[in-house]
Amino acid sequence: MKRLFIVVVIILAVCAFIFGDWVEFSKDSDSASVTLNTKEVKEDTKAVFHKGEKALEEAADEVEQATDDAVNEDDAVNKDESVEVNP
């Protein structure tokens, strides 16, 4: 199972290289070459990094908001309970 996962990851990486315009294959009469477009790789990597960073910030904000809502709700329940005092 572990080997299958590794093979799938390698296949996906190769596809990303080829279809992401990161790799270019060329051939002339005497030779063949493979060119790695490092500028494209850097740009795509930065874009993915920034999208991931933004997603993490949004998730942190949502967790913080949910925590604040839960604390405020708990405080409101405690406040209601403390008001009900029998003389």
Side-chain angles (χ1 to χ4, degrees):
M1 186 68 174
K2 198 175 198 180
R3 289 182 184 176
L4 176 64
F5 177 74
I6 292 171
V7 169
V8 169
V9 168
I10 290 171
I11 290 171
L12 289 175
V14 169
C15 288
F17 279 115
I18 294 171
F19 295 115
D21 294 331
W22 292 359
V23 176
E24 182 181 311
F25 300 99
S26 59
K27 178 181 173 186
D28 60 17
S29 61
D30 294 333
S31 64
S33 66
V34 177
T35 304
L36 178 63
N37 186 346
T38 56
K39 181 179 178 183
E40 188 75 28
V41 173
K42 287 179 184 179
E43 289 173 358
D44 290 349
T45 304
K46 285 181 183 180
V48 168
F49 178 77
H50 289 299
K51 285 181 183 178
E53 184 178 39
K54 184 178 178 181
L56 285 174
E57 288 174 359
E58 289 174 1
D61 290 343
E62 289 178 17
V63 168
E64 185 177 352
Q65 183 64 40
T67 304
D68 290 345
D69 291 346
V71 168
N72 291 336
E73 184 178 304
D74 189 41
D75 289 345
V77 169
N78 290 338
K79 184 178 179 182
D80 289 342
E81 290 175 1
S82 64
V83 171
E84 295 179 18
V85 176
N86 292 329

